[in-house]
Amino acid sequence: QVQLVESGGGSVQAGGSLRLSCVASGIRLEDFYMGWFRQAPGKDREAVAQISPIGLTTVKGRFTVSRDNAKDTVYLQIDGLKPEDTAMYYCAARMGPGRSAFAIDGWQYWGQGTQVTVSS
């Protein structure tokens, strides 16, 4: 059974940083493209970062994505947090690059999410 488990979310003040983690089980993480997404209340889910099996990254804005295949873990570093970053953050996995790094569709596995709340 494949599981992706996110952690590291929390409540922080604007200007702070967080590092989110996504631990995978049931798959060989090194074979998968990994993505990070977020969804704020009342808004569509949006992609914020992707990392390929060999570590090539595509990111938006203040996000940094990295992976440690030996630990079956992918990370999302968010710096300079703003209240508009408040959202549930999800990781996802897929075998191929998909039609676009920031496409929402085509991901095979999703985690349950970790909440990030930023206060001003």
Side-chain angles (χ1 to χ4, degrees):
Q1 183 180 359
V2 178
Q3 279 193 312
L4 301 177
V5 180
E6 302 93 336
S7 63
S11 297
V12 297
Q13 289 194 324
S17 297
L18 282 175
R19 188 174 81 156
L20 309 183
S21 299
C22 171
V23 178
S25 60
I27 58 173
R28 277 165 48 101
L29 189 71
E30 60 196 71
D31 294 334
F32 284 78
Y33 286 76
M34 299 298 295
W36 282 98
F37 304 80
R38 66 182 181 183
Q39 188 166 19
K43 295 188 176 181
D44 293 334
R45 189 170 296 189
E46 65 168 332
V48 298
Q50 176 183 271
I51 185 165
S52 75
I54 61 170
L56 298 176
T57 63
T58 307
V59 299
K60 290 182 178 178
R62 295 165 282 105
F63 299 98
T64 304
V65 61
S66 60
R67 65 193 298 157
D68 185 340
N69 291 333
K71 295 183 178 180
D72 294 319
T73 303
V74 179
Y75 304 98
L76 182 71
Q77 178 76 27
I78 318 172
D79 297 315
L81 281 157
K82 302 177 181 180
E84 51 263 45
D85 293 319
T86 294
M88 187 72 80
Y89 284 74
Y90 301 87
C91 67
R94 62 184 176 193
M95 284 290 287
R99 61 181 180 87
S100 166
F102 294 128
I104 302 299
D105 61 305
W107 294 88
Q108 294 169 258
Y109 307 108
W110 288 86
Q112 293 299 306
T114 185
Q115 177 69 37
V116 172
T117 303
V118 185
S119 58
S120 58

